Amino acid sequence: DSGVTQTPKHLITATGQRVTLRCSPRSGDLSVYWYQQSLDQGLQFLIHYYNGEERAKGNILERFSAQQFPDLHSELNLSSLELGDSALYFCASSASGGLVLNEQFFGPGTRLTVL
Amino acid sequence: EDQVTQSPEALRLQEGESSSLNCSYTVSGLRGLFWYRQDPGKGPEFLFTLYSAGEEKEKERLKATLTKKESFLHITAPKPEDSATYLCAVSDSNYQLIWGAGTKLIIKP
């Protein structure tokens, strides 16, 4: 158990809909990262938040957005969903904000299925 | 362009047959290199961090090494429970991680 929690574990929805994925980082970690992993694909970095502020953006679509709240939990919002958005979405946390090298610890993921 | 390449894409071994996985990188300002293990449908699990060429780290049957252009993950006398996808990630000068596509390791009993 990494100490990172993600909810829900599974999500099935229809095209055009909007969903919210939630992540709670490990106790004491200030950074949250979001990744997308499609079937048999590598990890695609989406976005990084540190202590409530956006630090870096990766290949995140305009239909996707995220935020980190004062209690450090984070939410990833996916809207106007398409079939191709079906994937595993992982959240990871680390102690630092990118000025010190720290390993990332991953949550169990949310499996999103868009029908 | 910064890049991380892992080889082979897949590797099938018999139980007890030792081998190595490769992670080669072209990154400016390397800060460090990470190895992770990922089981199907689960989040990656942290294994090692290597910071500089010549460094080595070990954990049970796994040993990670680092040179200036690549890293190897050596697996000695593997068991079926070592079957997983092994991911490599490199931290660039801005501390951003660049991920490889992974090596899927299958250990047959």
Side-chain angles (χ1 to χ4, degrees), chain A residues 35 37 40-43 45 48 55-56 88 90 98-109 111, chain B residues 31-34 36 38 41-46 49-51 87 91 94-97 99-101 104:
Chain A
Y35 291 89
Q37 188 175 45
D40 291 332
Q41 297 295 309
L43 283 170
F45 167 65
H48 168 206
R55 272 292 172 93
L88 269 169
F90 290 107
L99 299 179
V100 176
L101 188 65
N102 283 122
E103 57 270 20
Q104 296 180 17
F105 293 89
F106 284 77
R111 181 175 295 279
Chain B
R31 297 286 186 184
L33 183 144
F34 299 93
Y36 284 81
Q38 185 176 25
K42 304 217 172 157
E45 175 189 347
F46 170 72
T49 308
L50 301 168
Y51 295 96
L87 299 169
S91 178
N94 295 316
Y95 295 97
Q96 295 301 313
L97 285 189
W99 290 84
K104 185 173 184 177

mmCIF file of all heavy atoms in Angstrom, chain A residues 35 37 40-43 45 48 55-56 88 90 98-109 111, chain B residues 31-34 36 38 41-46 49-51 87 91 94-97 99-101 104:
data_model
loop_
_atom_site.group_PDB
_atom_site.id
_atom_site.type_symbol
_atom_site.label_atom_id
_atom_site.label_comp_id
_atom_site.label_asym_id
_atom_site.label_seq_id
_atom_site.Cartn_x
_atom_site.Cartn_y
_atom_site.Cartn_z
ATOM 1 N N TYR A 35 -1.619 10.841 -14.295
ATOM 2 C CA TYR A 35 -1.161 10.123 -15.482
ATOM 3 C C TYR A 35 -2.339 9.387 -16.111
ATOM 4 O O TYR A 35 -3.273 8.975 -15.426
ATOM 5 C CB TYR A 35 -0.112 9.073 -15.109
ATOM 6 C CG TYR A 35 1.213 9.621 -14.652
ATOM 7 C CD1 TYR A 35 1.437 9.906 -13.307
ATOM 8 C CD2 TYR A 35 2.250 9.821 -15.557
ATOM 9 C CE1 TYR A 35 2.660 10.400 -12.882
ATOM 10 C CE2 TYR A 35 3.482 10.307 -15.128
ATOM 11 C CZ TYR A 35 3.670 10.587 -13.795
ATOM 12 O OH TYR A 35 4.890 11.060 -13.373
ATOM 13 N N GLN A 37 -3.038 5.997 -18.631
ATOM 14 C CA GLN A 37 -2.434 4.802 -19.227
ATOM 15 C C GLN A 37 -3.502 4.046 -19.989
ATOM 16 O O GLN A 37 -4.368 3.417 -19.395
ATOM 17 C CB GLN A 37 -1.790 3.926 -18.160
ATOM 18 C CG GLN A 37 -0.970 2.776 -18.740
ATOM 19 C CD GLN A 37 -0.236 2.003 -17.657
ATOM 20 O OE1 GLN A 37 -0.802 1.677 -16.618
ATOM 21 N NE2 GLN A 37 1.040 1.704 -17.895
ATOM 22 N N ASP A 40 -2.281 -1.369 -22.687
ATOM 23 C CA ASP A 40 -0.966 -1.768 -23.182
ATOM 24 C C ASP A 40 -0.112 -0.591 -23.644
ATOM 25 O O ASP A 40 0.773 -0.758 -24.482
ATOM 26 C CB ASP A 40 -1.099 -2.784 -24.323
ATOM 27 C CG ASP A 40 -1.626 -4.111 -23.830
ATOM 28 O OD1 ASP A 40 -1.394 -4.423 -22.644
ATOM 29 O OD2 ASP A 40 -2.268 -4.821 -24.615
ATOM 30 N N GLN A 41 -0.391 0.593 -23.109
ATOM 31 C CA GLN A 41 0.411 1.768 -23.448
ATOM 32 C C GLN A 41 1.213 2.200 -22.226
ATOM 33 O O GLN A 41 0.943 1.791 -21.098
ATOM 34 C CB GLN A 41 -0.489 2.913 -23.904
ATOM 35 C CG GLN A 41 -1.270 2.619 -25.159
ATOM 36 C CD GLN A 41 -0.385 2.443 -26.364
ATOM 37 O OE1 GLN A 41 0.471 3.279 -26.650
ATOM 38 N NE2 GLN A 41 -0.566 1.342 -27.074
ATOM 39 N N GLY A 42 2.175 3.056 -22.477
ATOM 40 C CA GLY A 42 2.973 3.593 -21.381
ATOM 41 C C GLY A 42 2.230 4.662 -20.620
ATOM 42 O O GLY A 42 1.118 5.049 -20.970
ATOM 43 N N LEU A 43 2.865 5.140 -19.582
ATOM 44 C CA LEU A 43 2.291 6.210 -18.775
ATOM 45 C C LEU A 43 2.426 7.544 -19.494
ATOM 46 O O LEU A 43 3.519 7.908 -19.908
ATOM 47 C CB LEU A 43 3.020 6.307 -17.440
ATOM 48 C CG LEU A 43 2.676 5.278 -16.387
ATOM 49 C CD1 LEU A 43 3.652 5.377 -15.232
ATOM 50 C CD2 LEU A 43 1.265 5.469 -15.889
ATOM 51 N N PHE A 45 2.066 11.468 -18.889
ATOM 52 C CA PHE A 45 1.967 12.495 -17.860
ATOM 53 C C PHE A 45 0.938 13.548 -18.275
ATOM 54 O O PHE A 45 0.972 14.047 -19.394
ATOM 55 C CB PHE A 45 3.338 13.138 -17.644
ATOM 56 C CG PHE A 45 3.311 14.403 -16.834
ATOM 57 C CD1 PHE A 45 2.919 14.387 -15.496
ATOM 58 C CD2 PHE A 45 3.673 15.605 -17.402
ATOM 59 C CE1 PHE A 45 2.898 15.550 -14.756
ATOM 60 C CE2 PHE A 45 3.659 16.778 -16.676
ATOM 61 C CZ PHE A 45 3.264 16.750 -15.351
ATOM 62 N N HIS A 48 0.866 18.289 -13.078
ATOM 63 C CA HIS A 48 1.500 18.242 -11.763
ATOM 64 C C HIS A 48 1.077 19.468 -10.954
ATOM 65 O O HIS A 48 1.167 20.595 -11.435
ATOM 66 C CB HIS A 48 3.028 18.216 -11.942
ATOM 67 C CG HIS A 48 3.816 18.444 -10.692
ATOM 68 N ND1 HIS A 48 5.086 18.963 -10.707
ATOM 69 C CD2 HIS A 48 3.531 18.219 -9.379
ATOM 70 C CE1 HIS A 48 5.551 19.054 -9.472
ATOM 71 N NE2 HIS A 48 4.618 18.610 -8.648
ATOM 72 N N ARG A 55 2.221 23.123 -11.478
ATOM 73 C CA ARG A 55 3.666 23.218 -11.684
ATOM 74 C C ARG A 55 4.074 22.852 -13.097
ATOM 75 O O ARG A 55 5.024 23.388 -13.640
ATOM 76 C CB ARG A 55 4.403 22.291 -10.719
ATOM 77 C CG ARG A 55 4.710 22.912 -9.389
ATOM 78 C CD ARG A 55 5.737 24.023 -9.520
ATOM 79 N NE ARG A 55 5.919 24.765 -8.307
ATOM 80 C CZ ARG A 55 6.837 24.491 -7.400
ATOM 81 N NH1 ARG A 55 7.644 23.478 -7.564
ATOM 82 N NH2 ARG A 55 6.937 25.242 -6.316
ATOM 83 N N ALA A 56 3.407 21.881 -13.695
ATOM 84 C CA ALA A 56 3.803 21.441 -15.033
ATOM 85 C C ALA A 56 2.619 20.780 -15.715
ATOM 86 O O ALA A 56 1.763 20.183 -15.056
ATOM 87 C CB ALA A 56 4.973 20.467 -14.965
ATOM 88 N N LEU A 88 -6.799 3.759 -17.796
ATOM 89 C CA LEU A 88 -6.517 3.815 -16.363
ATOM 90 C C LEU A 88 -5.942 5.194 -16.070
ATOM 91 O O LEU A 88 -5.036 5.658 -16.775
ATOM 92 C CB LEU A 88 -5.489 2.762 -15.975
ATOM 93 C CG LEU A 88 -5.984 1.382 -15.548
ATOM 94 C CD1 LEU A 88 -4.826 0.411 -15.475
ATOM 95 C CD2 LEU A 88 -6.698 1.462 -14.206
ATOM 96 N N PHE A 90 -3.999 7.310 -13.209
ATOM 97 C CA PHE A 90 -3.249 7.178 -11.963
ATOM 98 C C PHE A 90 -2.917 8.543 -11.389
ATOM 99 O O PHE A 90 -2.608 9.497 -12.113
ATOM 100 C CB PHE A 90 -1.938 6.426 -12.187
ATOM 101 C CG PHE A 90 -2.107 4.974 -12.498
ATOM 102 C CD1 PHE A 90 -1.898 4.490 -13.774
ATOM 103 C CD2 PHE A 90 -2.470 4.076 -11.489
ATOM 104 C CE1 PHE A 90 -2.047 3.136 -14.053
ATOM 105 C CE2 PHE A 90 -2.624 2.733 -11.766
ATOM 106 C CZ PHE A 90 -2.417 2.260 -13.053
ATOM 107 N N GLY A 98 9.543 19.553 -7.033
ATOM 108 C CA GLY A 98 10.318 19.558 -8.263
ATOM 109 C C GLY A 98 11.652 20.244 -8.134
ATOM 110 O O GLY A 98 12.398 20.329 -9.098
ATOM 111 N N LEU A 99 11.990 20.743 -6.957
ATOM 112 C CA LEU A 99 13.308 21.347 -6.769
ATOM 113 C C LEU A 99 14.277 20.370 -6.109
ATOM 114 O O LEU A 99 15.448 20.640 -5.984
ATOM 115 C CB LEU A 99 13.195 22.610 -5.913
ATOM 116 C CG LEU A 99 12.325 23.700 -6.538
ATOM 117 C CD1 LEU A 99 12.239 24.895 -5.619
ATOM 118 C CD2 LEU A 99 12.871 24.092 -7.899
ATOM 119 N N VAL A 100 13.734 19.252 -5.687
ATOM 120 C CA VAL A 100 14.523 18.175 -5.105
ATOM 121 C C VAL A 100 14.027 16.884 -5.737
ATOM 122 O O VAL A 100 12.833 16.730 -5.991
ATOM 123 C CB VAL A 100 14.332 18.098 -3.572
ATOM 124 C CG1 VAL A 100 15.071 16.906 -2.985
ATOM 125 C CG2 VAL A 100 14.777 19.389 -2.926
ATOM 126 N N LEU A 101 14.931 15.977 -5.997
ATOM 127 C CA LEU A 101 14.526 14.723 -6.627
ATOM 128 C C LEU A 101 13.928 13.787 -5.597
ATOM 129 O O LEU A 101 14.583 13.384 -4.651
ATOM 130 C CB LEU A 101 15.742 14.064 -7.280
ATOM 131 C CG LEU A 101 15.437 12.843 -8.136
ATOM 132 C CD1 LEU A 101 14.601 13.249 -9.334
ATOM 133 C CD2 LEU A 101 16.729 12.189 -8.584
ATOM 134 N N ASN A 102 12.650 13.482 -5.763
ATOM 135 C CA ASN A 102 11.973 12.526 -4.889
ATOM 136 C C ASN A 102 11.190 11.544 -5.749
ATOM 137 O O ASN A 102 10.637 11.919 -6.775
ATOM 138 C CB ASN A 102 10.983 13.219 -3.957
ATOM 139 C CG ASN A 102 11.668 13.915 -2.804
ATOM 140 O OD1 ASN A 102 11.517 15.107 -2.624
ATOM 141 N ND2 ASN A 102 12.427 13.172 -2.027
ATOM 142 N N GLU A 103 11.140 10.302 -5.260
ATOM 143 C CA GLU A 103 10.367 9.317 -5.991
ATOM 144 C C GLU A 103 8.890 9.627 -5.865
ATOM 145 O O GLU A 103 8.444 10.252 -4.896
ATOM 146 C CB GLU A 103 10.675 7.907 -5.477
ATOM 147 C CG GLU A 103 10.439 7.707 -4.004
ATOM 148 C CD GLU A 103 11.676 8.027 -3.176
ATOM 149 O OE1 GLU A 103 12.571 8.752 -3.670
ATOM 150 O OE2 GLU A 103 11.731 7.576 -2.028
ATOM 151 N N GLN A 104 8.120 9.190 -6.869
ATOM 152 C CA GLN A 104 6.674 9.333 -6.843
ATOM 153 C C GLN A 104 6.066 8.013 -6.399
ATOM 154 O O GLN A 104 6.528 6.942 -6.772
ATOM 155 C CB GLN A 104 6.154 9.692 -8.248
ATOM 156 C CG GLN A 104 6.643 11.037 -8.744
ATOM 157 C CD GLN A 104 6.126 11.361 -10.123
ATOM 158 O OE1 GLN A 104 5.170 10.772 -10.616
ATOM 159 N NE2 GLN A 104 6.748 12.348 -10.776
ATOM 160 N N PHE A 105 5.027 8.114 -5.607
ATOM 161 C CA PHE A 105 4.296 6.945 -5.137
ATOM 162 C C PHE A 105 2.898 6.978 -5.749
ATOM 163 O O PHE A 105 2.199 7.989 -5.665
ATOM 164 C CB PHE A 105 4.225 6.930 -3.609
ATOM 165 C CG PHE A 105 5.578 6.716 -2.984
ATOM 166 C CD1 PHE A 105 6.388 7.795 -2.688
ATOM 167 C CD2 PHE A 105 6.036 5.436 -2.734
ATOM 168 C CE1 PHE A 105 7.650 7.600 -2.133
ATOM 169 C CE2 PHE A 105 7.294 5.229 -2.174
ATOM 170 C CZ PHE A 105 8.102 6.321 -1.882
ATOM 171 N N PHE A 106 2.529 5.867 -6.354
ATOM 172 C CA PHE A 106 1.314 5.806 -7.147
ATOM 173 C C PHE A 106 0.143 5.215 -6.375
ATOM 174 O O PHE A 106 0.306 4.310 -5.549
ATOM 175 C CB PHE A 106 1.545 4.955 -8.402
ATOM 176 C CG PHE A 106 2.323 5.667 -9.466
ATOM 177 C CD1 PHE A 106 3.697 5.820 -9.356
ATOM 178 C CD2 PHE A 106 1.675 6.199 -10.573
ATOM 179 C CE1 PHE A 106 4.422 6.486 -10.336
ATOM 180 C CE2 PHE A 106 2.393 6.857 -11.560
ATOM 181 C CZ PHE A 106 3.763 7.000 -11.441
ATOM 182 N N GLY A 107 -1.036 5.731 -6.719
ATOM 183 C CA GLY A 107 -2.266 5.152 -6.205
ATOM 184 C C GLY A 107 -2.669 3.951 -7.032
ATOM 185 O O GLY A 107 -2.021 3.617 -8.022
ATOM 186 N N PRO A 108 -3.783 3.310 -6.641
ATOM 187 C CA PRO A 108 -4.232 2.098 -7.334
ATOM 188 C C PRO A 108 -4.902 2.366 -8.675
ATOM 189 O O PRO A 108 -5.121 1.437 -9.441
ATOM 190 C CB PRO A 108 -5.227 1.475 -6.352
ATOM 191 C CG PRO A 108 -5.732 2.636 -5.577
ATOM 192 C CD PRO A 108 -4.600 3.597 -5.461
ATOM 193 N N GLY A 109 -5.229 3.628 -8.951
ATOM 194 C CA GLY A 109 -5.801 3.982 -10.245
ATOM 195 C C GLY A 109 -7.315 3.966 -10.271
ATOM 196 O O GLY A 109 -7.975 3.347 -9.423
ATOM 197 N N ARG A 111 -10.175 3.095 -13.175
ATOM 198 C CA ARG A 111 -10.390 2.588 -14.533
ATOM 199 C C ARG A 111 -11.634 3.241 -15.092
ATOM 200 O O ARG A 111 -12.739 3.037 -14.593
ATOM 201 C CB ARG A 111 -10.536 1.069 -14.544
ATOM 202 C CG ARG A 111 -10.732 0.520 -15.962
ATOM 203 C CD ARG A 111 -10.760 -0.990 -15.995
ATOM 204 N NE ARG A 111 -9.499 -1.582 -15.617
ATOM 205 C CZ ARG A 111 -8.451 -1.728 -16.423
ATOM 206 N NH1 ARG A 111 -8.511 -1.293 -17.659
ATOM 207 N NH2 ARG A 111 -7.357 -2.311 -15.980
ATOM 208 N N ARG B 31 19.031 14.286 -13.591
ATOM 209 C CA ARG B 31 19.000 14.428 -12.135
ATOM 210 C C ARG B 31 18.988 13.072 -11.446
ATOM 211 O O ARG B 31 19.489 12.936 -10.331
ATOM 212 C CB ARG B 31 17.740 15.194 -11.708
ATOM 213 C CG ARG B 31 17.679 16.605 -12.237
ATOM 214 C CD ARG B 31 18.642 17.520 -11.520
ATOM 215 N NE ARG B 31 18.474 18.898 -11.940
ATOM 216 C CZ ARG B 31 19.239 19.896 -11.537
ATOM 217 N NH1 ARG B 31 20.221 19.655 -10.663
ATOM 218 N NH2 ARG B 31 19.040 21.113 -11.976
ATOM 219 N N GLY B 32 18.375 12.101 -12.121
ATOM 220 C CA GLY B 32 18.298 10.785 -11.523
ATOM 221 C C GLY B 32 17.471 9.865 -12.401
ATOM 222 O O GLY B 32 16.809 10.314 -13.340
ATOM 223 N N LEU B 33 17.530 8.585 -12.105
ATOM 224 C CA LEU B 33 16.789 7.578 -12.872
ATOM 225 C C LEU B 33 16.049 6.681 -11.906
ATOM 226 O O LEU B 33 16.607 6.267 -10.875
ATOM 227 C CB LEU B 33 17.755 6.771 -13.749
ATOM 228 C CG LEU B 33 17.136 5.724 -14.673
ATOM 229 C CD1 LEU B 33 17.912 5.661 -15.986
ATOM 230 C CD2 LEU B 33 17.093 4.355 -14.025
ATOM 231 N N PHE B 34 14.789 6.374 -12.228
ATOM 232 C CA PHE B 34 13.944 5.563 -11.365
ATOM 233 C C PHE B 34 13.579 4.265 -12.080
ATOM 234 O O PHE B 34 13.352 4.248 -13.291
ATOM 235 C CB PHE B 34 12.636 6.296 -11.042
ATOM 236 C CG PHE B 34 12.812 7.599 -10.321
ATOM 237 C CD1 PHE B 34 12.888 8.789 -11.016
ATOM 238 C CD2 PHE B 34 12.868 7.637 -8.932
ATOM 239 C CE1 PHE B 34 13.039 10.001 -10.351
ATOM 240 C CE2 PHE B 34 13.015 8.837 -8.258
ATOM 241 C CZ PHE B 34 13.097 10.009 -8.968
ATOM 242 N N TYR B 36 10.562 1.250 -11.694
ATOM 243 C CA TYR B 36 9.302 0.879 -11.084
ATOM 244 C C TYR B 36 8.892 -0.486 -11.612
ATOM 245 O O TYR B 36 9.222 -0.873 -12.735
ATOM 246 C CB TYR B 36 8.192 1.879 -11.448
ATOM 247 C CG TYR B 36 8.253 3.194 -10.718
ATOM 248 C CD1 TYR B 36 9.123 4.198 -11.133
ATOM 249 C CD2 TYR B 36 7.426 3.449 -9.626
ATOM 250 C CE1 TYR B 36 9.168 5.418 -10.471
ATOM 251 C CE2 TYR B 36 7.460 4.670 -8.962
ATOM 252 C CZ TYR B 36 8.332 5.645 -9.391
ATOM 253 O OH TYR B 36 8.371 6.848 -8.735
ATOM 254 N N GLN B 38 5.286 -2.650 -12.371
ATOM 255 C CA GLN B 38 3.835 -2.497 -12.462
ATOM 256 C C GLN B 38 3.186 -3.835 -12.767
ATOM 257 O O GLN B 38 3.493 -4.470 -13.786
ATOM 258 C CB GLN B 38 3.452 -1.467 -13.542
ATOM 259 C CG GLN B 38 1.954 -1.195 -13.579
ATOM 260 C CD GLN B 38 1.558 -0.122 -14.571
ATOM 261 O OE1 GLN B 38 2.239 0.129 -15.546
ATOM 262 N NE2 GLN B 38 0.412 0.520 -14.323
ATOM 263 N N GLY B 41 -3.117 -3.802 -14.218
ATOM 264 C CA GLY B 41 -4.242 -3.117 -13.609
ATOM 265 C C GLY B 41 -3.927 -2.406 -12.308
ATOM 266 O O GLY B 41 -4.838 -1.901 -11.644
ATOM 267 N N LYS B 42 -2.661 -2.332 -11.937
ATOM 268 C CA LYS B 42 -2.271 -1.701 -10.669
ATOM 269 C C LYS B 42 -1.321 -0.538 -10.925
ATOM 270 O O LYS B 42 -0.767 -0.390 -11.996
ATOM 271 C CB LYS B 42 -1.616 -2.727 -9.755
ATOM 272 C CG LYS B 42 -2.481 -3.940 -9.503
ATOM 273 C CD LYS B 42 -2.340 -4.443 -8.108
ATOM 274 C CE LYS B 42 -3.369 -5.522 -7.837
ATOM 275 N NZ LYS B 42 -2.983 -6.403 -6.751
ATOM 276 N N GLY B 43 -1.165 0.279 -9.895
ATOM 277 C CA GLY B 43 -0.263 1.402 -10.005
ATOM 278 C C GLY B 43 1.190 0.964 -9.926
ATOM 279 O O GLY B 43 1.512 -0.033 -9.279
ATOM 280 N N PRO B 44 2.087 1.690 -10.601
ATOM 281 C CA PRO B 44 3.517 1.362 -10.516
ATOM 282 C C PRO B 44 4.016 1.409 -9.072
ATOM 283 O O PRO B 44 3.609 2.281 -8.294
ATOM 284 C CB PRO B 44 4.167 2.445 -11.368
ATOM 285 C CG PRO B 44 3.108 2.875 -12.323
ATOM 286 C CD PRO B 44 1.830 2.789 -11.530
ATOM 287 N N GLU B 45 4.913 0.490 -8.769
ATOM 288 C CA GLU B 45 5.503 0.389 -7.435
ATOM 289 C C GLU B 45 6.975 0.767 -7.527
ATOM 290 O O GLU B 45 7.731 0.197 -8.317
ATOM 291 C CB GLU B 45 5.344 -1.042 -6.912
ATOM 292 C CG GLU B 45 6.027 -1.315 -5.588
ATOM 293 C CD GLU B 45 5.999 -2.802 -5.244
ATOM 294 O OE1 GLU B 45 5.255 -3.562 -5.882
ATOM 295 O OE2 GLU B 45 6.760 -3.214 -4.350
ATOM 296 N N PHE B 46 7.380 1.718 -6.709
ATOM 297 C CA PHE B 46 8.751 2.208 -6.732
ATOM 298 C C PHE B 46 9.743 1.120 -6.326
ATOM 299 O O PHE B 46 9.512 0.398 -5.339
ATOM 300 C CB PHE B 46 8.874 3.405 -5.788
ATOM 301 C CG PHE B 46 10.284 3.851 -5.537
ATOM 302 C CD1 PHE B 46 10.995 4.502 -6.523
ATOM 303 C CD2 PHE B 46 10.895 3.596 -4.317
ATOM 304 C CE1 PHE B 46 12.296 4.898 -6.294
ATOM 305 C CE2 PHE B 46 12.196 3.995 -4.087
ATOM 306 C CZ PHE B 46 12.909 4.642 -5.070
ATOM 307 N N THR B 49 16.053 4.372 -7.002
ATOM 308 C CA THR B 49 16.510 5.627 -7.586
ATOM 309 C C THR B 49 18.017 5.549 -7.725
ATOM 310 O O THR B 49 18.719 5.146 -6.783
ATOM 311 C CB THR B 49 16.175 6.832 -6.688
ATOM 312 O OG1 THR B 49 14.804 6.823 -6.343
ATOM 313 C CG2 THR B 49 16.503 8.127 -7.418
ATOM 314 N N LEU B 50 18.529 5.916 -8.895
ATOM 315 C CA LEU B 50 19.965 5.993 -9.147
ATOM 316 C C LEU B 50 20.288 7.425 -9.534
ATOM 317 O O LEU B 50 19.590 8.029 -10.344
ATOM 318 C CB LEU B 50 20.370 5.039 -10.275
ATOM 319 C CG LEU B 50 20.051 3.553 -10.043
ATOM 320 C CD1 LEU B 50 20.234 2.761 -11.320
ATOM 321 C CD2 LEU B 50 20.933 2.994 -8.934
ATOM 322 N N TYR B 51 21.362 7.961 -8.956
ATOM 323 C CA TYR B 51 21.645 9.377 -9.144
ATOM 324 C C TYR B 51 22.822 9.657 -10.064
ATOM 325 O O TYR B 51 22.845 10.696 -10.725
ATOM 326 C CB TYR B 51 21.912 10.044 -7.790
ATOM 327 C CG TYR B 51 20.713 10.062 -6.877
ATOM 328 C CD1 TYR B 51 20.534 9.081 -5.905
ATOM 329 C CD2 TYR B 51 19.738 11.056 -6.975
ATOM 330 C CE1 TYR B 51 19.429 9.092 -5.064
ATOM 331 C CE2 TYR B 51 18.642 11.076 -6.133
ATOM 332 C CZ TYR B 51 18.494 10.086 -5.188
ATOM 333 O OH TYR B 51 17.404 10.108 -4.359
ATOM 334 N N LEU B 87 9.195 -0.474 -15.468
ATOM 335 C CA LEU B 87 9.240 0.857 -16.065
ATOM 336 C C LEU B 87 10.464 1.623 -15.591
ATOM 337 O O LEU B 87 10.847 1.546 -14.417
ATOM 338 C CB LEU B 87 7.986 1.655 -15.666
ATOM 339 C CG LEU B 87 6.636 1.087 -16.088
ATOM 340 C CD1 LEU B 87 5.496 1.838 -15.406
ATOM 341 C CD2 LEU B 87 6.471 1.168 -17.596
ATOM 342 N N SER B 91 14.704 11.719 -14.704
ATOM 343 C CA SER B 91 14.403 13.084 -14.297
ATOM 344 C C SER B 91 15.365 14.036 -15.008
ATOM 345 O O SER B 91 16.579 13.887 -14.896
ATOM 346 C CB SER B 91 14.550 13.214 -12.778
ATOM 347 O OG SER B 91 14.306 14.555 -12.373
ATOM 348 N N ASN B 94 14.887 19.943 -15.191
ATOM 349 C CA ASN B 94 13.762 20.629 -14.546
ATOM 350 C C ASN B 94 13.007 19.720 -13.591
ATOM 351 O O ASN B 94 11.919 20.066 -13.144
ATOM 352 C CB ASN B 94 12.794 21.162 -15.603
ATOM 353 C CG ASN B 94 13.431 22.226 -16.468
ATOM 354 O OD1 ASN B 94 14.111 23.114 -15.961
ATOM 355 N ND2 ASN B 94 13.227 22.140 -17.766
ATOM 356 N N TYR B 95 13.594 18.566 -13.295
ATOM 357 C CA TYR B 95 12.988 17.576 -12.393
ATOM 358 C C TYR B 95 11.695 16.990 -12.948
ATOM 359 O O TYR B 95 10.876 16.464 -12.198
ATOM 360 C CB TYR B 95 12.744 18.160 -11.005
ATOM 361 C CG TYR B 95 14.018 18.522 -10.284
ATOM 362 C CD1 TYR B 95 14.483 19.832 -10.298
ATOM 363 C CD2 TYR B 95 14.746 17.560 -9.597
ATOM 364 C CE1 TYR B 95 15.658 20.172 -9.654
ATOM 365 C CE2 TYR B 95 15.924 17.890 -8.946
ATOM 366 C CZ TYR B 95 16.370 19.197 -8.975
ATOM 367 O OH TYR B 95 17.535 19.528 -8.334
ATOM 368 N N GLN B 96 11.506 17.096 -14.272
ATOM 369 C CA GLN B 96 10.344 16.460 -14.883
ATOM 370 C C GLN B 96 10.708 15.022 -15.251
ATOM 371 O O GLN B 96 11.812 14.751 -15.730
ATOM 372 C CB GLN B 96 9.897 17.220 -16.135
ATOM 373 C CG GLN B 96 9.395 18.620 -15.838
ATOM 374 C CD GLN B 96 8.226 18.622 -14.883
ATOM 375 O OE1 GLN B 96 7.270 17.863 -15.039
ATOM 376 N NE2 GLN B 96 8.285 19.457 -13.859
ATOM 377 N N LEU B 97 9.781 14.105 -15.042
ATOM 378 C CA LEU B 97 10.044 12.704 -15.351
ATOM 379 C C LEU B 97 9.695 12.398 -16.793
ATOM 380 O O LEU B 97 8.640 12.794 -17.282
ATOM 381 C CB LEU B 97 9.245 11.787 -14.425
ATOM 382 C CG LEU B 97 9.731 11.643 -13.004
ATOM 383 C CD1 LEU B 97 8.968 10.537 -12.296
ATOM 384 C CD2 LEU B 97 11.221 11.365 -12.939
ATOM 385 N N TRP B 99 9.196 9.060 -19.092
ATOM 386 C CA TRP B 99 8.970 7.635 -18.863
ATOM 387 C C TRP B 99 9.272 6.813 -20.109
ATOM 388 O O TRP B 99 8.958 7.232 -21.229
ATOM 389 C CB TRP B 99 7.511 7.388 -18.468
ATOM 390 C CG TRP B 99 7.193 7.908 -17.117
ATOM 391 C CD1 TRP B 99 6.841 9.189 -16.798
ATOM 392 C CD2 TRP B 99 7.194 7.179 -15.887
ATOM 393 N NE1 TRP B 99 6.640 9.303 -15.445
ATOM 394 C CE2 TRP B 99 6.841 8.078 -14.857
ATOM 395 C CE3 TRP B 99 7.468 5.842 -15.555
ATOM 396 C CZ2 TRP B 99 6.742 7.684 -13.520
ATOM 397 C CZ3 TRP B 99 7.364 5.456 -14.231
ATOM 398 C CH2 TRP B 99 7.020 6.371 -13.225
ATOM 399 N N GLY B 100 9.837 5.630 -19.896
ATOM 400 C CA GLY B 100 9.956 4.647 -20.952
ATOM 401 C C GLY B 100 8.647 3.872 -21.085
ATOM 402 O O GLY B 100 7.756 3.978 -20.229
ATOM 403 N N ALA B 101 8.549 3.094 -22.153
ATOM 404 C CA ALA B 101 7.313 2.338 -22.426
ATOM 405 C C ALA B 101 7.240 1.041 -21.631
ATOM 406 O O ALA B 101 6.180 0.420 -21.569
ATOM 407 C CB ALA B 101 7.205 2.042 -23.910
ATOM 408 N N LYS B 104 7.877 -5.874 -20.529
ATOM 409 C CA LYS B 104 6.992 -6.861 -19.915
ATOM 410 C C LYS B 104 7.777 -8.138 -19.696
ATOM 411 O O LYS B 104 8.243 -8.765 -20.656
ATOM 412 C CB LYS B 104 5.789 -7.124 -20.810
ATOM 413 C CG LYS B 104 4.760 -8.055 -20.198
ATOM 414 C CD LYS B 104 3.521 -8.134 -21.059
ATOM 415 C CE LYS B 104 2.440 -8.986 -20.419
ATOM 416 N NZ LYS B 104 1.198 -9.007 -21.232
#
